[in-house]
Amino acid sequence: LAAVAAMAAKRSTDEMRDRVVLGEFGVRNVHTTDFPGNYPGYEDAWDQRRFEEAFRVDIIREEEGALEFDMVGIDAAIANAFRRILLAEVPTMAVEKVFVYNNTSIVQDEILAHRLGLIPIRADPRLFEYRNQGDEEGTEIDTLQFQLKIKCSRNPQAAKESSDPNELYFNHKVYSKHMTWVPLGNQTDLFPDADFRPVHDDILIALLRPGQEIDVLMHCVKGIGKDHAKFSPVATASYRLLPDITLLQPVEDEAAEMLQKCFSPGVIEIQNIKGKKVARVANARLDTFSREVFRHDSLKNLVRLARVRNHYIFSVESTGILPPDVLVSEAIKILMGKCQRFLNELDSLPME
């Protein structure tokens, strides 16, 4: 009996350490508790070799502008550090100053400047320096210059009875494709193969009518999302813990079909075993954990819903300025730099 009790206690402790359990009315085992000495019999002191053996990164899906990967064997604090660095500390180039020479459109100058600032610019920020605070004039190493000069006019060939603006007017829609790069200093020599332009050509900036025009000059500088959201290189950067669904006893026939409907498509599959429909967990990763199963009294005690505590599924969607895999590697470099600065600070502090 003592051995059985010891095994049960170990299973309970393992669950507490490794799983975040989702109940009907709450979530258990949320806090990290595996620090040295907390659990008798567990060696929880930091060990680099053990960490290197357990840690891994698996690329799951890589598309243009989107990346999904698993990071296994890290603590929530580290995972969250990557997420926050991606959102707020990986630099990009964005419009910072707008010099308005003429704007007779119905869009006010400050609204126009704000809209221009939010247009993602396809320019590798690693090629540029941060602009010094207080510098009025930009230089070729810290500034990109764009011009937007456009005027709306009537189309003399348009049919008299037409009411379609696309037919009646020329240049009545101002798009991001109308922004043109104006090299500063020796930028044509510095970047001979450069194609600095907005990421998307079809971002609508303003609407014009005959006689109205926009003539502005823009200065793009290097910055981070911490200062303004326009510098954030990602549309989304998020993570979730890997779902873990366990059937506590066999679920058959009608109950199996009902169970399948409680989860996202592809999570539960039904097998035919000896003429009976039997449910099994096919791919828990696909589940969104709506917890629909807890609405059914006949099912809620047959399933354990949990998440694997140290298995993070990251989703990174780039705005198109840099590919998402480059963004992740830049975030890793920034975190390494933070750690190095901290270690340098510790070394430089006098010991008492």
Side-chain angles (χ1 to χ4, degrees):
L1 283 173
V4 172
M7 283 180 65
K10 187 176 186 309
R11 272 200 303 271
S12 174
T13 305
D14 286 344
E15 181 183 283
M16 202 183 303
R17 288 162 54 86
D18 302 335
R19 297 289 185 270
V20 177
V21 180
L22 286 81
E24 186 175 1
F25 299 111
V27 184
R28 300 199 316 272
N29 310 340
V30 176
H31 304 290
T32 302
T33 55
D34 48 349
F35 48 84
N38 191 40
Y39 297 106
Y42 287 89
E43 182 53 63
D44 284 323
W46 167 257
D47 181 75
Q48 185 171 338
R49 184 187 55 79
R50 195 164 63 234
F51 169 77
E52 288 175 359
E53 286 174 358
F55 178 74
R56 71 175 199 273
V57 175
D58 301 327
I59 306 295
I60 304 300
R61 181 173 54 87
E62 189 171 6
E63 299 168 0
E64 188 183 0
L67 176 70
E68 183 182 322
F69 65 94
D70 290 4
M71 199 176 274
V72 186
I74 56 169
D75 190 75
I78 306 297
N80 201 42
F82 282 125
R83 183 188 68 84
R84 292 185 60 165
I85 290 169
L86 281 165
L87 286 169
E89 294 187 60
V90 175
T92 64
M93 302 292 286
V95 174
E96 176 71 5
K97 290 191 176 181
V98 179
F99 302 93
V100 181
Y101 295 108
N102 196 4
N103 174 24
T104 54
S105 73
I106 61 165
V107 182
Q108 298 97 324
D109 291 356
E110 59 270 31
I111 303 298
L112 179 64
H114 183 257
R115 290 177 71 81
L116 292 169
L118 293 173
I119 294 171
I121 305 296
R122 180 165 285 163
D124 192 332
R126 294 169 295 183
L127 301 173
F128 297 89
E129 302 293 330
Y130 287 101
R131 189 191 275 198
N132 292 325
Q133 212 165 6
D135 277 7
E136 286 299 318
E137 294 295 320
T139 65
E140 60 266 17
I141 61 165
D142 61 26
T143 304
L144 269 179
Q145 190 171 253
F146 284 88
Q147 186 179 42
L148 175 60
K149 190 170 184 177
I150 190 166
K151 185 172 183 177
C152 179
S153 59
R154 292 188 183 277
N155 177 11
Q157 309 297 324
K160 286 186 178 179
E161 66 277 4
S162 174
S163 60
D164 182 7
N166 294 313
E167 194 179 332
L168 288 171
Y169 315 124
F170 291 128
N171 294 331
H172 79 105
K173 286 184 176 179
V174 183
Y175 286 110
S176 51
K177 66 183 176 186
H178 295 125
M179 292 169 58
T180 54
W181 174 44
V182 181
L184 264 175
N186 65 340
Q187 282 184 339
T188 40
D189 300 326
L190 282 174
F191 313 113
D193 303 319
D195 183 23
F196 298 131
R197 58 188 176 84
V199 171
H200 304 287
D201 289 336
D202 57 351
I203 298 173
L204 186 65
I205 297 170
L207 292 175
L208 303 179
R209 284 298 177 263
Q212 294 180 350
E213 64 178 298
I214 292 175
D215 182 4
V216 297
L217 198 66
M218 293 157 269
H219 279 186
C220 298
V221 301
K222 186 174 179 177
I224 57 174
K226 221 187 249 186
D227 296 329
H228 195 290
K230 67 186 177 186
F231 292 114
S232 183
V234 293
T236 59
S238 62
Y239 63 79
R240 61 193 178 101
L241 290 171
L242 178 73
D244 178 49
I245 300 168
T246 308
L247 299 183
L248 302 175
Q249 61 188 71
V251 183
E252 300 173 345
D253 299 329
E254 286 181 15
E257 291 180 346
M258 194 189 300
L259 184 75
Q260 187 179 42
K261 290 175 185 174
C262 290
F263 293 92
S264 303
V267 174
I268 302 291
E269 74 172 15
I270 295 176
Q271 295 178 319
N272 198 315
I273 299 173
K274 295 179 182 177
K276 283 187 176 181
K277 293 177 180 175
V278 180
R280 69 174 283 272
V281 179
N283 188 356
R285 184 192 184 90
L286 300 173
D287 198 38
T288 57
F289 276 169
S290 64
R291 293 195 260 192
E292 172 73 14
V293 69
F294 291 127
R295 296 182 63 200
H296 303 278
D297 291 333
S298 59
L299 295 177
K300 64 184 182 183
N301 295 320
L302 305 180
V303 185
R304 187 197 72 166
L305 303 184
R307 289 189 182 272
V308 181
R309 185 189 293 282
N310 68 347
H311 189 133
Y312 296 88
I313 301 171
F314 273 84
S315 297
V316 178
E317 187 181 318
S318 169
T319 55
I321 296 168
L322 289 172
D325 57 324
V326 173
L327 294 178
V328 172
S329 65
E330 287 299 303
I332 293 168
K333 287 177 191 172
I334 289 168
L335 185 58
M336 288 166 65
K338 284 173 178 283
C339 296
Q340 193 57 55
R341 278 198 302 278
F342 181 62
L343 291 171
N344 293 342
E345 287 289 328
L346 289 177
D347 291 340
S348 63
L349 286 172
M351 297 298 288
E352 292 183 5

mmCIF file of all heavy atoms in Angstrom, residues 199-229:
data_model
loop_
_atom_site.group_PDB
_atom_site.id
_atom_site.type_symbol
_atom_site.label_atom_id
_atom_site.label_comp_id
_atom_site.label_asym_id
_atom_site.label_seq_id
_atom_site.Cartn_x
_atom_site.Cartn_y
_atom_site.Cartn_z
ATOM 1 N N VAL A 199 5.951 48.548 -48.220
ATOM 2 C CA VAL A 199 5.791 47.089 -48.362
ATOM 3 C C VAL A 199 4.636 46.763 -49.297
ATOM 4 O O VAL A 199 4.717 45.883 -50.134
ATOM 5 C CB VAL A 199 5.570 46.443 -46.969
ATOM 6 C CG1 VAL A 199 5.177 44.981 -47.113
ATOM 7 C CG2 VAL A 199 6.827 46.571 -46.121
ATOM 8 N N HIS A 200 3.540 47.508 -49.150
ATOM 9 C CA HIS A 200 2.346 47.283 -49.987
ATOM 10 C C HIS A 200 2.091 48.517 -50.843
ATOM 11 O O HIS A 200 2.150 49.647 -50.349
ATOM 12 C CB HIS A 200 1.123 46.990 -49.120
ATOM 13 C CG HIS A 200 1.318 45.834 -48.193
ATOM 14 N ND1 HIS A 200 1.342 44.524 -48.621
ATOM 15 C CD2 HIS A 200 1.520 45.799 -46.851
ATOM 16 C CE1 HIS A 200 1.547 43.725 -47.587
ATOM 17 N NE2 HIS A 200 1.667 44.475 -46.509
ATOM 18 N N ASP A 201 1.786 48.297 -52.100
ATOM 19 C CA ASP A 201 1.531 49.418 -53.021
ATOM 20 C C ASP A 201 0.104 49.947 -52.931
ATOM 21 O O ASP A 201 -0.181 51.041 -53.409
ATOM 22 C CB ASP A 201 1.801 48.987 -54.473
ATOM 23 C CG ASP A 201 3.282 48.787 -54.738
ATOM 24 O OD1 ASP A 201 4.091 49.403 -54.008
ATOM 25 O OD2 ASP A 201 3.624 48.026 -55.659
ATOM 26 N N ASP A 202 -0.810 49.167 -52.370
ATOM 27 C CA ASP A 202 -2.231 49.518 -52.460
ATOM 28 C C ASP A 202 -2.825 50.042 -51.147
ATOM 29 O O ASP A 202 -4.020 49.895 -50.900
ATOM 30 C CB ASP A 202 -3.033 48.305 -52.936
ATOM 31 C CG ASP A 202 -2.847 47.094 -52.034
ATOM 32 O OD1 ASP A 202 -1.965 47.147 -51.147
ATOM 33 O OD2 ASP A 202 -3.576 46.098 -52.209
ATOM 34 N N ILE A 203 -1.999 50.653 -50.288
ATOM 35 C CA ILE A 203 -2.526 51.252 -49.055
ATOM 36 C C ILE A 203 -3.107 52.618 -49.423
ATOM 37 O O ILE A 203 -2.393 53.497 -49.924
ATOM 38 C CB ILE A 203 -1.426 51.407 -47.992
ATOM 39 C CG1 ILE A 203 -0.866 50.027 -47.614
ATOM 40 C CG2 ILE A 203 -1.955 52.128 -46.760
ATOM 41 C CD1 ILE A 203 0.347 50.076 -46.703
ATOM 42 N N LEU A 204 -4.390 52.813 -49.180
ATOM 43 C CA LEU A 204 -5.052 54.075 -49.522
ATOM 44 C C LEU A 204 -4.705 55.139 -48.489
ATOM 45 O O LEU A 204 -4.935 54.965 -47.296
ATOM 46 C CB LEU A 204 -6.566 53.861 -49.579
ATOM 47 C CG LEU A 204 -7.395 55.052 -50.058
ATOM 48 C CD1 LEU A 204 -7.075 55.390 -51.508
ATOM 49 C CD2 LEU A 204 -8.893 54.762 -49.903
ATOM 50 N N ILE A 205 -4.145 56.259 -48.952
ATOM 51 C CA ILE A 205 -3.717 57.332 -48.049
ATOM 52 C C ILE A 205 -4.771 58.431 -47.973
ATOM 53 O O ILE A 205 -5.107 58.918 -46.892
ATOM 54 C CB ILE A 205 -2.367 57.922 -48.514
ATOM 55 C CG1 ILE A 205 -1.281 56.835 -48.449
ATOM 56 C CG2 ILE A 205 -1.963 59.128 -47.662
ATOM 57 C CD1 ILE A 205 0.024 57.233 -49.115
ATOM 58 N N ALA A 206 -5.308 58.837 -49.125
ATOM 59 C CA ALA A 206 -6.308 59.919 -49.144
ATOM 60 C C ALA A 206 -7.108 59.841 -50.440
ATOM 61 O O ALA A 206 -6.719 59.155 -51.396
ATOM 62 C CB ALA A 206 -5.619 61.272 -49.032
ATOM 63 N N LEU A 207 -8.246 60.563 -50.470
ATOM 64 C CA LEU A 207 -9.055 60.720 -51.678
ATOM 65 C C LEU A 207 -9.013 62.177 -52.089
ATOM 66 O O LEU A 207 -9.134 63.069 -51.238
ATOM 67 C CB LEU A 207 -10.503 60.293 -51.423
ATOM 68 C CG LEU A 207 -10.745 58.805 -51.164
ATOM 69 C CD1 LEU A 207 -12.211 58.561 -50.819
ATOM 70 C CD2 LEU A 207 -10.377 57.982 -52.392
ATOM 71 N N LEU A 208 -8.853 62.420 -53.389
ATOM 72 C CA LEU A 208 -8.784 63.786 -53.899
ATOM 73 C C LEU A 208 -9.914 64.039 -54.895
ATOM 74 O O LEU A 208 -10.502 63.110 -55.443
ATOM 75 C CB LEU A 208 -7.436 64.031 -54.593
ATOM 76 C CG LEU A 208 -6.157 63.808 -53.784
ATOM 77 C CD1 LEU A 208 -4.941 64.086 -54.655
ATOM 78 C CD2 LEU A 208 -6.133 64.678 -52.544
ATOM 79 N N ARG A 209 -10.175 65.329 -55.122
ATOM 80 C CA ARG A 209 -11.096 65.760 -56.165
ATOM 81 C C ARG A 209 -10.376 66.807 -57.025
ATOM 82 O O ARG A 209 -9.350 67.353 -56.612
ATOM 83 C CB ARG A 209 -12.386 66.329 -55.555
ATOM 84 C CG ARG A 209 -13.344 65.248 -55.021
ATOM 85 C CD ARG A 209 -13.812 64.339 -56.157
ATOM 86 N NE ARG A 209 -14.683 63.251 -55.705
ATOM 87 C CZ ARG A 209 -14.277 62.032 -55.444
ATOM 88 N NH1 ARG A 209 -12.977 61.747 -55.526
ATOM 89 N NH2 ARG A 209 -15.118 61.090 -55.107
ATOM 90 N N PRO A 210 -10.859 67.075 -58.234
ATOM 91 C CA PRO A 210 -10.130 67.967 -59.150
ATOM 92 C C PRO A 210 -9.697 69.277 -58.494
ATOM 93 O O PRO A 210 -10.479 69.926 -57.799
ATOM 94 C CB PRO A 210 -11.147 68.217 -60.263
ATOM 95 C CG PRO A 210 -11.979 66.985 -60.277
ATOM 96 C CD PRO A 210 -12.086 66.561 -58.846
ATOM 97 N N GLY A 211 -8.425 69.607 -58.692
ATOM 98 C CA GLY A 211 -7.866 70.823 -58.111
ATOM 99 C C GLY A 211 -7.158 70.591 -56.795
ATOM 100 O O GLY A 211 -6.346 71.418 -56.374
ATOM 101 N N GLN A 212 -7.465 69.494 -56.118
ATOM 102 C CA GLN A 212 -6.810 69.203 -54.837
ATOM 103 C C GLN A 212 -5.477 68.501 -55.089
ATOM 104 O O GLN A 212 -5.351 67.713 -56.031
ATOM 105 C CB GLN A 212 -7.707 68.316 -53.959
ATOM 106 C CG GLN A 212 -8.990 69.004 -53.520
ATOM 107 C CD GLN A 212 -9.843 68.101 -52.646
ATOM 108 O OE1 GLN A 212 -9.582 66.912 -52.512
ATOM 109 N NE2 GLN A 212 -10.885 68.672 -52.050
ATOM 110 N N GLU A 213 -4.507 68.778 -54.228
ATOM 111 C CA GLU A 213 -3.204 68.146 -54.394
ATOM 112 C C GLU A 213 -2.524 67.931 -53.046
ATOM 113 O O GLU A 213 -2.863 68.573 -52.047
ATOM 114 C CB GLU A 213 -2.308 68.974 -55.319
ATOM 115 C CG GLU A 213 -1.929 70.340 -54.815
ATOM 116 C CD GLU A 213 -0.997 71.051 -55.784
ATOM 117 O OE1 GLU A 213 0.124 70.527 -56.004
ATOM 118 O OE2 GLU A 213 -1.387 72.101 -56.313
ATOM 119 N N ILE A 214 -1.575 67.010 -53.059
ATOM 120 C CA ILE A 214 -0.738 66.729 -51.883
ATOM 121 C C ILE A 214 0.708 66.786 -52.336
ATOM 122 O O ILE A 214 1.079 66.165 -53.336
ATOM 123 C CB ILE A 214 -1.068 65.354 -51.273
ATOM 124 C CG1 ILE A 214 -2.465 65.348 -50.638
ATOM 125 C CG2 ILE A 214 -0.031 64.960 -50.223
ATOM 126 C CD1 ILE A 214 -2.915 63.988 -50.127
ATOM 127 N N ASP A 215 1.500 67.559 -51.601
ATOM 128 C CA ASP A 215 2.934 67.649 -51.891
ATOM 129 C C ASP A 215 3.663 67.615 -50.551
ATOM 130 O O ASP A 215 3.682 68.610 -49.823
ATOM 131 C CB ASP A 215 3.237 68.953 -52.647
ATOM 132 C CG ASP A 215 4.721 69.065 -53.017
ATOM 133 O OD1 ASP A 215 5.476 68.102 -52.752
ATOM 134 O OD2 ASP A 215 5.125 70.114 -53.553
ATOM 135 N N VAL A 216 4.221 66.436 -50.210
ATOM 136 C CA VAL A 216 4.896 66.289 -48.920
ATOM 137 C C VAL A 216 6.231 65.585 -49.108
ATOM 138 O O VAL A 216 6.433 64.835 -50.061
ATOM 139 C CB VAL A 216 4.045 65.497 -47.890
ATOM 140 C CG1 VAL A 216 2.750 66.216 -47.563
ATOM 141 C CG2 VAL A 216 3.779 64.081 -48.358
ATOM 142 N N LEU A 217 7.144 65.860 -48.183
ATOM 143 C CA LEU A 217 8.428 65.167 -48.118
ATOM 144 C C LEU A 217 8.500 64.456 -46.779
ATOM 145 O O LEU A 217 8.139 65.043 -45.748
ATOM 146 C CB LEU A 217 9.568 66.188 -48.241
ATOM 147 C CG LEU A 217 10.946 65.645 -48.622
ATOM 148 C CD1 LEU A 217 10.935 65.077 -50.029
ATOM 149 C CD2 LEU A 217 11.993 66.746 -48.511
ATOM 150 N N MET A 218 8.936 63.191 -46.784
ATOM 151 C CA MET A 218 8.944 62.393 -45.553
ATOM 152 C C MET A 218 10.356 61.959 -45.194
ATOM 153 O O MET A 218 11.135 61.598 -46.082
ATOM 154 C CB MET A 218 8.079 61.136 -45.733
ATOM 155 C CG MET A 218 6.607 61.394 -45.894
ATOM 156 S SD MET A 218 5.809 60.021 -46.745
ATOM 157 C CE MET A 218 5.914 60.536 -48.443
ATOM 158 N N HIS A 219 10.647 61.976 -43.911
ATOM 159 C CA HIS A 219 11.908 61.442 -43.403
ATOM 160 C C HIS A 219 11.618 60.192 -42.586
ATOM 161 O O HIS A 219 10.879 60.252 -41.601
ATOM 162 C CB HIS A 219 12.628 62.481 -42.534
ATOM 163 C CG HIS A 219 13.377 63.498 -43.330
ATOM 164 N ND1 HIS A 219 14.196 64.449 -42.759
ATOM 165 C CD2 HIS A 219 13.460 63.692 -44.675
ATOM 166 C CE1 HIS A 219 14.725 65.191 -43.714
ATOM 167 N NE2 HIS A 219 14.293 64.760 -44.876
ATOM 168 N N CYS A 220 12.184 59.062 -43.013
ATOM 169 C CA CYS A 220 12.047 57.806 -42.267
ATOM 170 C C CYS A 220 13.282 57.620 -41.395
ATOM 171 O O CYS A 220 14.405 57.813 -41.872
ATOM 172 C CB CYS A 220 11.939 56.614 -43.214
ATOM 173 S SG CYS A 220 10.512 56.675 -44.268
ATOM 174 N N VAL A 221 13.071 57.246 -40.158
ATOM 175 C CA VAL A 221 14.192 57.003 -39.255
ATOM 176 C C VAL A 221 14.033 55.629 -38.607
ATOM 177 O O VAL A 221 12.974 55.000 -38.682
ATOM 178 C CB VAL A 221 14.294 58.091 -38.156
ATOM 179 C CG1 VAL A 221 14.475 59.461 -38.776
ATOM 180 C CG2 VAL A 221 13.093 58.068 -37.236
ATOM 181 N N LYS A 222 15.085 55.182 -37.954
ATOM 182 C CA LYS A 222 15.092 53.882 -37.283
ATOM 183 C C LYS A 222 14.539 54.053 -35.870
ATOM 184 O O LYS A 222 14.900 55.001 -35.160
ATOM 185 C CB LYS A 222 16.528 53.359 -37.230
ATOM 186 C CG LYS A 222 16.689 51.947 -36.690
ATOM 187 C CD LYS A 222 18.148 51.530 -36.854
ATOM 188 C CE LYS A 222 18.416 50.138 -36.313
ATOM 189 N NZ LYS A 222 19.801 49.729 -36.542
ATOM 190 N N GLY A 223 13.649 53.156 -35.478
ATOM 191 C CA GLY A 223 13.067 53.247 -34.137
ATOM 192 C C GLY A 223 12.521 51.911 -33.688
ATOM 193 O O GLY A 223 12.546 50.922 -34.434
ATOM 194 N N ILE A 224 12.013 51.851 -32.454
ATOM 195 C CA ILE A 224 11.475 50.606 -31.886
ATOM 196 C C ILE A 224 10.031 50.812 -31.432
ATOM 197 O O ILE A 224 9.610 51.940 -31.137
ATOM 198 C CB ILE A 224 12.344 50.087 -30.711
ATOM 199 C CG1 ILE A 224 12.475 51.140 -29.604
ATOM 200 C CG2 ILE A 224 13.707 49.638 -31.202
ATOM 201 C CD1 ILE A 224 13.202 50.654 -28.363
ATOM 202 N N GLY A 225 9.305 49.716 -31.364
ATOM 203 C CA GLY A 225 7.892 49.756 -31.004
ATOM 204 C C GLY A 225 7.616 50.316 -29.625
ATOM 205 O O GLY A 225 6.509 50.768 -29.332
ATOM 206 N N LYS A 226 8.619 50.290 -28.750
ATOM 207 C CA LYS A 226 8.480 50.871 -27.412
ATOM 208 C C LYS A 226 8.194 52.365 -27.500
ATOM 209 O O LYS A 226 7.481 52.924 -26.679
ATOM 210 C CB LYS A 226 9.779 50.637 -26.643
ATOM 211 C CG LYS A 226 9.603 50.238 -25.189
ATOM 212 C CD LYS A 226 10.960 50.214 -24.523
ATOM 213 C CE LYS A 226 11.356 48.801 -24.194
ATOM 214 N NZ LYS A 226 12.605 48.748 -23.413
ATOM 215 N N ASP A 227 8.783 53.021 -28.514
ATOM 216 C CA ASP A 227 8.594 54.462 -28.704
ATOM 217 C C ASP A 227 7.290 54.777 -29.432
ATOM 218 O O ASP A 227 6.617 55.739 -29.109
ATOM 219 C CB ASP A 227 9.768 55.051 -29.488
ATOM 220 C CG ASP A 227 11.080 54.926 -28.731
ATOM 221 O OD1 ASP A 227 11.038 54.957 -27.489
ATOM 222 O OD2 ASP A 227 12.135 54.780 -29.371
ATOM 223 N N HIS A 228 6.971 53.982 -30.443
ATOM 224 C CA HIS A 228 5.717 54.181 -31.185
ATOM 225 C C HIS A 228 5.381 52.883 -31.907
ATOM 226 O O HIS A 228 6.274 52.212 -32.434
ATOM 227 C CB HIS A 228 5.872 55.324 -32.191
ATOM 228 C CG HIS A 228 4.554 55.824 -32.726
ATOM 229 N ND1 HIS A 228 3.778 55.078 -33.584
ATOM 230 C CD2 HIS A 228 3.875 56.977 -32.504
ATOM 231 C CE1 HIS A 228 2.684 55.760 -33.887
ATOM 232 N NE2 HIS A 228 2.722 56.914 -33.239
ATOM 233 N N ALA A 229 4.084 52.559 -31.952
ATOM 234 C CA ALA A 229 3.654 51.288 -32.560
ATOM 235 C C ALA A 229 4.010 51.194 -34.042
ATOM 236 O O ALA A 229 4.093 50.089 -34.584
ATOM 237 C CB ALA A 229 2.145 51.112 -32.375
#
